[in-house]
PDB file of all heavy atoms in Angstrom:
ATOM      1  N   PRO Y  29     -70.923 -16.191 -90.187  1.00 88.00           N
ATOM      2  CA  PRO Y  29     -69.484 -15.862 -90.103  1.00 88.00           C
ATOM      3  C   PRO Y  29     -69.186 -14.477 -89.537  1.00 88.00           C
ATOM      4  O   PRO Y  29     -68.357 -14.363 -88.621  1.00 88.00           O
ATOM      5  CB  PRO Y  29     -69.020 -16.019 -91.553  1.00 88.00           C
ATOM      6  CG  PRO Y  29     -69.931 -17.032 -92.132  1.00 88.00           C
ATOM      7  CD  PRO Y  29     -71.270 -16.759 -91.510  1.00 88.00           C
ATOM      8  N   PRO Y  30     -69.824 -13.388 -90.049  1.00 89.00           N
ATOM      9  CA  PRO Y  30     -69.513 -12.093 -89.437  1.00 89.00           C
ATOM     10  C   PRO Y  30     -69.939 -11.997 -87.979  1.00 89.00           C
ATOM     11  O   PRO Y  30     -69.288 -11.311 -87.177  1.00 89.00           O
ATOM     12  CB  PRO Y  30     -70.272 -11.086 -90.310  1.00 89.00           C
ATOM     13  CG  PRO Y  30     -71.283 -11.880 -91.053  1.00 89.00           C
ATOM     14  CD  PRO Y  30     -70.702 -13.227 -91.219  1.00 89.00           C
ATOM     15  N   ARG Y  31     -71.018 -12.685 -87.605  1.00 88.00           N
ATOM     16  CA  ARG Y  31     -71.440 -12.671 -86.198  1.00 88.00           C
ATOM     17  C   ARG Y  31     -70.400 -13.369 -85.323  1.00 88.00           C
ATOM     18  O   ARG Y  31     -70.107 -12.912 -84.217  1.00 88.00           O
ATOM     19  CB  ARG Y  31     -72.797 -13.346 -86.050  1.00 88.00           C
ATOM     20  CG  ARG Y  31     -73.936 -12.582 -86.706  1.00 88.00           C
ATOM     21  CD  ARG Y  31     -75.283 -13.220 -86.404  1.00 88.00           C
ATOM     22  NE  ARG Y  31     -75.649 -13.032 -85.003  1.00 88.00           N
ATOM     23  CZ  ARG Y  31     -75.851 -14.021 -84.144  1.00 88.00           C
ATOM     24  NH1 ARG Y  31     -75.689 -15.296 -84.538  1.00 88.00           N
ATOM     25  NH2 ARG Y  31     -76.177 -13.776 -82.896  1.00 88.00           N
ATOM     26  N   VAL Y  32     -69.874 -14.470 -85.848  1.00 88.00           N
ATOM     27  CA  VAL Y  32     -68.835 -15.187 -85.086  1.00 88.00           C
ATOM     28  C   VAL Y  32     -67.576 -14.335 -84.964  1.00 88.00           C
ATOM     29  O   VAL Y  32     -66.971 -14.228 -83.883  1.00 88.00           O
ATOM     30  CB  VAL Y  32     -68.525 -16.537 -85.751  1.00 88.00           C
ATOM     31  CG1 VAL Y  32     -67.299 -17.188 -85.085  1.00 88.00           C
ATOM     32  CG2 VAL Y  32     -69.719 -17.464 -85.662  1.00 88.00           C
ATOM     33  N   LEU Y  33     -67.166 -13.710 -86.074  1.00 86.00           N
ATOM     34  CA  LEU Y  33     -65.930 -12.925 -86.072  1.00 86.00           C
ATOM     35  C   LEU Y  33     -66.046 -11.692 -85.192  1.00 86.00           C
ATOM     36  O   LEU Y  33     -65.040 -11.183 -84.686  1.00 86.00           O
ATOM     37  CB  LEU Y  33     -65.562 -12.521 -87.507  1.00 86.00           C
ATOM     38  CG  LEU Y  33     -65.257 -13.687 -88.465  1.00 86.00           C
ATOM     39  CD1 LEU Y  33     -64.884 -13.159 -89.832  1.00 86.00           C
ATOM     40  CD2 LEU Y  33     -64.162 -14.575 -87.922  1.00 86.00           C
ATOM     41  N   ARG Y  34     -67.282 -11.196 -85.004  1.00 87.00           N
ATOM     42  CA  ARG Y  34     -67.493 -10.038 -84.138  1.00 87.00           C
ATOM     43  C   ARG Y  34     -67.840 -10.423 -82.708  1.00 87.00           C
ATOM     44  O   ARG Y  34     -68.189  -9.565 -81.902  1.00 87.00           O
ATOM     45  CB  ARG Y  34     -68.618  -9.174 -84.708  1.00 87.00           C
ATOM     46  CG  ARG Y  34     -68.291  -8.536 -86.048  1.00 87.00           C
ATOM     47  CD  ARG Y  34     -69.460  -7.737 -86.560  1.00 87.00           C
ATOM     48  NE  ARG Y  34     -69.176  -7.153 -87.877  1.00 87.00           N
ATOM     49  CZ  ARG Y  34     -70.047  -6.432 -88.577  1.00 87.00           C
ATOM     50  NH1 ARG Y  34     -71.263  -6.205 -88.075  1.00 87.00           N
ATOM     51  NH2 ARG Y  34     -69.723  -5.948 -89.750  1.00 87.00           N
ATOM     52  N   ASN Y  35     -67.741 -11.714 -82.422  1.00 86.00           N
ATOM     53  CA  ASN Y  35     -68.045 -12.227 -81.075  1.00 86.00           C
ATOM     54  C   ASN Y  35     -69.481 -11.925 -80.658  1.00 86.00           C
ATOM     55  O   ASN Y  35     -69.764 -11.682 -79.484  1.00 86.00           O
ATOM     56  CB  ASN Y  35     -67.070 -11.646 -80.040  1.00 86.00           C
ATOM     57  CG  ASN Y  35     -65.689 -12.238 -80.169  1.00 86.00           C
ATOM     58  OD1 ASN Y  35     -65.531 -13.398 -80.534  1.00 86.00           O
ATOM     59  ND2 ASN Y  35     -64.666 -11.434 -79.900  1.00 86.00           N
ATOM     60  N   ARG Y  36     -70.418 -11.954 -81.617  1.00 86.00           N
ATOM     61  CA  ARG Y  36     -71.827 -11.739 -81.311  1.00 86.00           C
ATOM     62  C   ARG Y  36     -72.632 -13.031 -81.388  1.00 86.00           C
ATOM     63  O   ARG Y  36     -73.845 -13.016 -81.195  1.00 86.00           O
ATOM     64  CB  ARG Y  36     -72.414 -10.715 -82.283  1.00 86.00           C
ATOM     65  CG  ARG Y  36     -71.824  -9.324 -82.106  1.00 86.00           C
ATOM     66  CD  ARG Y  36     -72.435  -8.342 -83.084  1.00 86.00           C
ATOM     67  NE  ARG Y  36     -71.879  -7.004 -82.895  1.00 86.00           N
ATOM     68  CZ  ARG Y  36     -72.199  -5.953 -83.630  1.00 86.00           C
ATOM     69  NH1 ARG Y  36     -73.092  -6.084 -84.613  1.00 86.00           N
ATOM     70  NH2 ARG Y  36     -71.634  -4.776 -83.413  1.00 86.00           N
ATOM     71  N   ALA Y  37     -71.983 -14.129 -81.701  1.00 84.00           N
ATOM     72  CA  ALA Y  37     -72.659 -15.422 -81.780  1.00 84.00           C
ATOM     73  C   ALA Y  37     -72.420 -16.199 -80.490  1.00 84.00           C
ATOM     74  O   ALA Y  37     -71.568 -15.844 -79.661  1.00 84.00           O
ATOM     75  CB  ALA Y  37     -72.147 -16.202 -82.984  1.00 84.00           C
ATOM     76  N   ALA Y  38     -73.216 -17.258 -80.337  1.00 84.00           N
ATOM     77  CA  ALA Y  38     -73.063 -18.086 -79.141  1.00 84.00           C
ATOM     78  C   ALA Y  38     -71.714 -18.783 -79.118  1.00 84.00           C
ATOM     79  O   ALA Y  38     -71.107 -18.975 -78.061  1.00 84.00           O
ATOM     80  CB  ALA Y  38     -74.194 -19.109 -79.075  1.00 84.00           C
ATOM     81  N   THR Y  39     -71.237 -19.173 -80.298  1.00 86.00           N
ATOM     82  CA  THR Y  39     -69.932 -19.827 -80.408  1.00 86.00           C
ATOM     83  C   THR Y  39     -68.868 -18.770 -80.683  1.00 86.00           C
ATOM     84  O   THR Y  39     -68.958 -18.049 -81.680  1.00 86.00           O
ATOM     85  CB  THR Y  39     -69.934 -20.863 -81.532  1.00 86.00           C
ATOM     86  OG1 THR Y  39     -70.976 -21.808 -81.296  1.00 86.00           O
ATOM     87  CG2 THR Y  39     -68.601 -21.584 -81.600  1.00 86.00           C
ATOM     88  N   ARG Y  40     -67.889 -18.698 -79.832  1.00 88.00           N
ATOM     89  CA  ARG Y  40     -66.828 -17.709 -79.994  1.00 88.00           C
ATOM     90  C   ARG Y  40     -65.508 -18.413 -80.299  1.00 88.00           C
ATOM     91  O   ARG Y  40     -65.188 -19.444 -79.692  1.00 88.00           O
ATOM     92  CB  ARG Y  40     -66.684 -16.852 -78.745  1.00 88.00           C
ATOM     93  CG  ARG Y  40     -67.933 -16.053 -78.438  1.00 88.00           C
ATOM     94  CD  ARG Y  40     -67.695 -14.964 -77.445  1.00 88.00           C
ATOM     95  NE  ARG Y  40     -68.875 -14.118 -77.281  1.00 88.00           N
ATOM     96  CZ  ARG Y  40     -68.902 -12.993 -76.573  1.00 88.00           C
ATOM     97  NH1 ARG Y  40     -67.801 -12.583 -75.964  1.00 88.00           N
ATOM     98  NH2 ARG Y  40     -70.011 -12.296 -76.481  1.00 88.00           N
ATOM     99  N   PRO Y  41     -64.750 -17.859 -81.246  1.00 90.00           N
ATOM    100  CA  PRO Y  41     -63.493 -18.530 -81.620  1.00 90.00           C
ATOM    101  C   PRO Y  41     -62.452 -18.453 -80.503  1.00 90.00           C
ATOM    102  O   PRO Y  41     -62.417 -17.504 -79.730  1.00 90.00           O
ATOM    103  CB  PRO Y  41     -63.036 -17.743 -82.861  1.00 90.00           C
ATOM    104  CG  PRO Y  41     -63.674 -16.404 -82.720  1.00 90.00           C
ATOM    105  CD  PRO Y  41     -64.983 -16.629 -82.017  1.00 90.00           C
ATOM    106  N   GLU Y  42     -61.647 -19.476 -80.465  1.00 90.00           N
ATOM    107  CA  GLU Y  42     -60.491 -19.463 -79.558  1.00 90.00           C
ATOM    108  C   GLU Y  42     -59.528 -18.381 -80.029  1.00 90.00           C
ATOM    109  O   GLU Y  42     -59.258 -18.242 -81.217  1.00 90.00           O
ATOM    110  CB  GLU Y  42     -59.813 -20.831 -79.584  1.00 90.00           C
ATOM    111  CG  GLU Y  42     -58.549 -20.912 -78.756  1.00 90.00           C
ATOM    112  CD  GLU Y  42     -57.783 -22.189 -79.011  1.00 90.00           C
ATOM    113  OE1 GLU Y  42     -58.287 -23.047 -79.780  1.00 90.00           O
ATOM    114  OE2 GLU Y  42     -56.679 -22.330 -78.470  1.00 90.00           O
ATOM    115  N   VAL Y  43     -59.003 -17.605 -79.109  1.00 92.00           N
ATOM    116  CA  VAL Y  43     -58.130 -16.488 -79.461  1.00 92.00           C
ATOM    117  C   VAL Y  43     -56.669 -16.946 -79.419  1.00 92.00           C
ATOM    118  O   VAL Y  43     -56.220 -17.523 -78.427  1.00 92.00           O
ATOM    119  CB  VAL Y  43     -58.336 -15.299 -78.505  1.00 92.00           C
ATOM    120  CG1 VAL Y  43     -57.390 -14.154 -78.861  1.00 92.00           C
ATOM    121  CG2 VAL Y  43     -59.791 -14.828 -78.562  1.00 92.00           C
ATOM    122  N   ALA Y  44     -55.950 -16.698 -80.509  1.00 92.00           N
ATOM    123  CA  ALA Y  44     -54.506 -16.977 -80.551  1.00 92.00           C
ATOM    124  C   ALA Y  44     -53.791 -15.830 -79.841  1.00 92.00           C
ATOM    125  O   ALA Y  44     -53.177 -14.963 -80.469  1.00 92.00           O
ATOM    126  CB  ALA Y  44     -54.035 -17.125 -81.989  1.00 92.00           C
ATOM    127  N   SER Y  45     -53.866 -15.822 -78.542  1.00 93.00           N
ATOM    128  CA  SER Y  45     -53.354 -14.723 -77.729  1.00 93.00           C
ATOM    129  C   SER Y  45     -51.863 -14.870 -77.470  1.00 93.00           C
ATOM    130  O   SER Y  45     -51.289 -15.949 -77.661  1.00 93.00           O
ATOM    131  CB  SER Y  45     -54.103 -14.686 -76.393  1.00 93.00           C
ATOM    132  OG  SER Y  45     -53.838 -15.863 -75.662  1.00 93.00           O
ATOM    133  N   PRO Y  46     -51.211 -13.801 -77.023  1.00 93.00           N
ATOM    134  CA  PRO Y  46     -49.788 -13.912 -76.659  1.00 93.00           C
ATOM    135  C   PRO Y  46     -49.551 -14.956 -75.575  1.00 93.00           C
ATOM    136  O   PRO Y  46     -48.519 -15.638 -75.581  1.00 93.00           O
ATOM    137  CB  PRO Y  46     -49.445 -12.503 -76.161  1.00 93.00           C
ATOM    138  CG  PRO Y  46     -50.396 -11.609 -76.892  1.00 93.00           C
ATOM    139  CD  PRO Y  46     -51.670 -12.390 -76.981  1.00 93.00           C
ATOM    140  N   GLU Y  47     -50.517 -15.090 -74.653  1.00 92.00           N
ATOM    141  CA  GLU Y  47     -50.371 -16.107 -73.601  1.00 92.00           C
ATOM    142  C   GLU Y  47     -50.372 -17.511 -74.209  1.00 92.00           C
ATOM    143  O   GLU Y  47     -49.602 -18.383 -73.786  1.00 92.00           O
ATOM    144  CB  GLU Y  47     -51.498 -15.972 -72.588  1.00 92.00           C
ATOM    145  CG  GLU Y  47     -51.461 -14.708 -71.748  1.00 92.00           C
ATOM    146  CD  GLU Y  47     -51.920 -13.471 -72.492  1.00 92.00           C
ATOM    147  OE1 GLU Y  47     -52.543 -13.635 -73.570  1.00 92.00           O
ATOM    148  OE2 GLU Y  47     -51.652 -12.358 -72.021  1.00 92.00           O
ATOM    149  N   ALA Y  48     -51.264 -17.711 -75.206  1.00 91.00           N
ATOM    150  CA  ALA Y  48     -51.295 -19.018 -75.876  1.00 91.00           C
ATOM    151  C   ALA Y  48     -50.028 -19.253 -76.680  1.00 91.00           C
ATOM    152  O   ALA Y  48     -49.551 -20.385 -76.797  1.00 91.00           O
ATOM    153  CB  ALA Y  48     -52.529 -19.103 -76.776  1.00 91.00           C
ATOM    154  N   VAL Y  49     -49.461 -18.180 -77.248  1.00 91.00           N
ATOM    155  CA  VAL Y  49     -48.203 -18.299 -77.979  1.00 91.00           C
ATOM    156  C   VAL Y  49     -47.089 -18.743 -77.044  1.00 91.00           C
ATOM    157  O   VAL Y  49     -46.318 -19.661 -77.349  1.00 91.00           O
ATOM    158  CB  VAL Y  49     -47.844 -16.959 -78.657  1.00 91.00           C
ATOM    159  CG1 VAL Y  49     -46.425 -17.016 -79.207  1.00 91.00           C
ATOM    160  CG2 VAL Y  49     -48.827 -16.638 -79.771  1.00 91.00           C
ATOM    161  N   VAL Y  50     -46.996 -18.091 -75.892  1.00 90.00           N
ATOM    162  CA  VAL Y  50     -45.951 -18.427 -74.923  1.00 90.00           C
ATOM    163  C   VAL Y  50     -46.110 -19.867 -74.434  1.00 90.00           C
ATOM    164  O   VAL Y  50     -45.119 -20.586 -74.224  1.00 90.00           O
ATOM    165  CB  VAL Y  50     -45.996 -17.442 -73.740  1.00 90.00           C
ATOM    166  CG1 VAL Y  50     -45.038 -17.879 -72.636  1.00 90.00           C
ATOM    167  CG2 VAL Y  50     -45.636 -16.038 -74.213  1.00 90.00           C
ATOM    168  N   ALA Y  51     -47.372 -20.304 -74.267  1.00 88.00           N
ATOM    169  CA  ALA Y  51     -47.632 -21.660 -73.786  1.00 88.00           C
ATOM    170  C   ALA Y  51     -47.356 -22.721 -74.843  1.00 88.00           C
ATOM    171  O   ALA Y  51     -47.385 -23.924 -74.542  1.00 88.00           O
ATOM    172  CB  ALA Y  51     -49.073 -21.763 -73.308  1.00 88.00           C
ATOM    173  N   GLY Y  52     -47.095 -22.304 -76.085  1.00 87.00           N
ATOM    174  CA  GLY Y  52     -46.815 -23.253 -77.150  1.00 87.00           C
ATOM    175  C   GLY Y  52     -48.044 -23.817 -77.814  1.00 87.00           C
ATOM    176  O   GLY Y  52     -47.948 -24.800 -78.557  1.00 87.00           O
ATOM    177  N   ASN Y  53     -49.217 -23.203 -77.570  1.00 89.00           N
ATOM    178  CA  ASN Y  53     -50.462 -23.709 -78.141  1.00 89.00           C
ATOM    179  C   ASN Y  53     -50.780 -23.117 -79.506  1.00 89.00           C
ATOM    180  O   ASN Y  53     -51.794 -23.484 -80.102  1.00 89.00           O
ATOM    181  CB  ASN Y  53     -51.623 -23.420 -77.184  1.00 89.00           C
ATOM    182  CG  ASN Y  53     -51.439 -24.107 -75.847  1.00 89.00           C
ATOM    183  OD1 ASN Y  53     -50.866 -25.193 -75.778  1.00 89.00           O
ATOM    184  ND2 ASN Y  53     -51.904 -23.480 -74.781  1.00 89.00           N
ATOM    185  N   VAL Y  54     -49.966 -22.190 -79.982  1.00 90.00           N
ATOM    186  CA  VAL Y  54     -50.228 -21.541 -81.266  1.00 90.00           C
ATOM    187  C   VAL Y  54     -49.158 -21.901 -82.290  1.00 90.00           C
ATOM    188  O   VAL Y  54     -49.459 -22.355 -83.392  1.00 90.00           O
ATOM    189  CB  VAL Y  54     -50.308 -20.006 -81.104  1.00 90.00           C
ATOM    190  CG1 VAL Y  54     -50.505 -19.333 -82.455  1.00 90.00           C
ATOM    191  CG2 VAL Y  54     -51.438 -19.627 -80.151  1.00 90.00           C
ATOM    192  N   LEU Y  55     -47.911 -21.691 -81.926  1.00 87.00           N
ATOM    193  CA  LEU Y  55     -46.804 -21.902 -82.868  1.00 87.00           C
ATOM    194  C   LEU Y  55     -46.123 -23.246 -82.688  1.00 87.00           C
ATOM    195  O   LEU Y  55     -45.170 -23.543 -83.399  1.00 87.00           O
ATOM    196  CB  LEU Y  55     -45.778 -20.774 -82.716  1.00 87.00           C
ATOM    197  CG  LEU Y  55     -46.340 -19.357 -82.862  1.00 87.00           C
ATOM    198  CD1 LEU Y  55     -45.233 -18.336 -82.675  1.00 87.00           C
ATOM    199  CD2 LEU Y  55     -47.010 -19.171 -84.205  1.00 87.00           C
TER     200      LEU Y  55
END
């Protein structure tokens, strides 16, 4: 979990970015 949260693992979480918010993919 801490490796994933720090983006040090092979699997990286999808980021709830402002661009994704505007696109309607977050809210």
Side-chain angles (χ1 to χ4, degrees):
R31 293 186 70 241
V32 171
L33 297 181
R34 294 178 182 178
N35 288 327
R36 294 180 179 178
T39 303
R40 298 195 174 188
E42 176 190 356
V43 178
S45 64
E47 292 76 15
V49 170
V50 173
N53 299 327
V54 177
L55 305 179

